[in-house]
Amino acid sequence: MSRLKDNVNGGPAALRELIKNDMVVAPGVFSGISALVAERAGFRSAYLSGSGVAGMMGLPDLSVTTLTEVAAEAYRITTVSSLPIIVDVDTGFGETVNVMRTVRMMEDAGAAAIHIEDQEQPKKCGHLNGKRVIDRDDMVRKIRAAVSTRKNEDFMIIARTDARSVNGLEDAIDRASAYIEAGADAVFTEALESRDEFVEMRKRVRGYLMANMTEDGKSPLLSVRELREIGYNIVIFPLTAFRGMLKAIDGIYRDLMRDGTQRNFLDRIMRRSEFYELIGYYDYEKEDNVFYKI
């Protein structure tokens, strides 16, 4: 069956099934084509980072992107990839009423889950200094608003806390427990600073926990196996492929500028036939031809 007919997005139910049976391992994707590459590599879920959306636009991760821009990117991904996708919606793009609209738009965009963080605006990357967090009760209200708004009960609401870097581990644990109690399906414990802190969080917080393995951050780079042993349920690698892509195209541009031809690095690029296979080009072509035979 062709990609046009067969490529049904996994959605919330697929992500729920994954997390029940195994750890969810979600590489960061930043476009439809990157999601197809992740899918071909064997991943069963994916993650859309707010920083990745901003980065693809050449912008910093400082709340300068909008809800409609993130929703549009999520839609572009879910319409070509069958992977259930977790979407970073920053602070929910405002207060409780904004969070409610965010949930509606992300469900409509085909996301399987979102995560909302407890930072003040303008938010920062979770591994940078200078963050500020909102009052715990204000975040609880956001979570309750998100949970009450979703139309599909399988659509996951993940609450992210950035309190570890601001107020210390105890406050992060307290907030994580409060967010689960408020109805969050999982807690994203950002910027823990040692393996022992991941272990402590797991010991003291009930419910699903999500870890962020980002390069050059405050957290140690624990493997999927190590996080599974600790008892984490979701792990994301938000910008690994994005940064790899940037490094690769930087080299391509430099070599092209220097040599004035691509003849010397054809082995470093995806050739036309492989790209066509990846996107299902000939499936689209066959579908189109059907209507000329009617």
Side-chain angles (χ1 to χ4, degrees), residues 22-259:
D22 195 9
M23 188 175 190
V24 173
V25 180
V29 298
F30 39 86
S31 61
I33 192 66
S34 66
L36 291 179
V37 174
E39 191 172 346
R40 187 174 69 167
F43 287 99
R44 299 172 65 195
S45 59
Y47 174 73
L48 178 60
S49 162
S51 182
V53 173
M56 284 293 287
M57 297 168 67
L59 298 170
D61 184 21
L62 288 170
S63 299
V64 293
T65 50
T66 66
L67 168 58
T68 52
E69 288 168 336
V70 176
E73 196 60 61
Y75 176 78
R76 282 191 285 266
I77 292 169
T78 60
T79 53
V80 297
S81 171
S82 64
L83 298 178
I85 185 170
I86 302 168
V87 181
D88 173 6
V89 297
D90 292 344
T91 63
F93 300 98
E95 300 306 319
T96 53
V97 68
N98 307 97
V99 168
M100 293 166 70
R101 182 166 187 251
T102 295
V103 169
R104 294 186 185 109
M105 288 186 66
M106 289 302 160
E107 281 195 283
D108 289 344
I114 59 171
H115 72 72
I116 307 168
E117 63 200 59
D118 58 5
Q119 281 197 55
E120 289 184 11
Q121 294 272 45
K123 59 90 61 185
K124 289 188 174 184
C125 166
H127 293 260
L128 295 181
N129 295 322
K131 299 182 295 181
R132 298 185 303 272
V133 292
I134 63 175
D135 184 81
R136 187 191 72 174
D137 291 342
D138 289 339
M139 182 61 176
V140 164
R141 280 189 282 272
K142 285 189 174 186
I143 295 166
R144 288 175 176 162
V147 170
S148 67
T149 301
R150 65 183 171 192
K151 293 176 287 187
N152 185 340
E153 288 299 313
D154 286 331
F155 183 81
M156 292 186 67
I157 307 297
I158 302 170
R160 167 175 148 178
T161 180
D162 284 75
R164 167 62 187 92
S165 299
V166 181
N167 300 325
L169 183 62
E170 287 299 318
D171 187 49
I173 291 172
D174 177 70
R175 285 171 178 257
S177 296
Y179 299 164
I180 291 289
E181 182 67 24
D185 298 292
V187 172
F188 174 2
T189 56
E190 180 66 302
L192 300 183
E193 297 184 8
S194 68
R195 186 184 189 281
D196 288 344
E197 290 192 359
F198 281 92
V199 171
E200 188 68 11
M201 185 68 72
R202 177 68 285 172
K203 283 181 179 178
R204 296 174 59 185
V205 178
R206 299 177 62 186
Y208 293 138
L209 292 180
M210 176 168 149
N212 176 14
M213 292 293 104
T214 189
E215 305 80 24
D216 306 315
K218 294 180 180 292
S219 299
L221 294 180
L222 302 175
S223 68
V224 170
R225 179 183 57 80
E226 290 170 317
L227 287 163
R228 184 183 281 116
E229 289 173 352
I230 292 170
Y232 268 68
N233 309 97
I234 308 169
V235 56
I236 58 172
F237 298 87
L239 294 171
T240 306
F242 175 74
R243 290 168 174 152
M245 177 195 70
L246 292 181
K247 189 72 171 179
I249 63 174
D250 181 68
I252 292 292
Y253 287 148
R254 289 176 185 274
D255 289 352
L256 188 60
M257 180 66 187
R258 181 191 64 223
D259 300 337

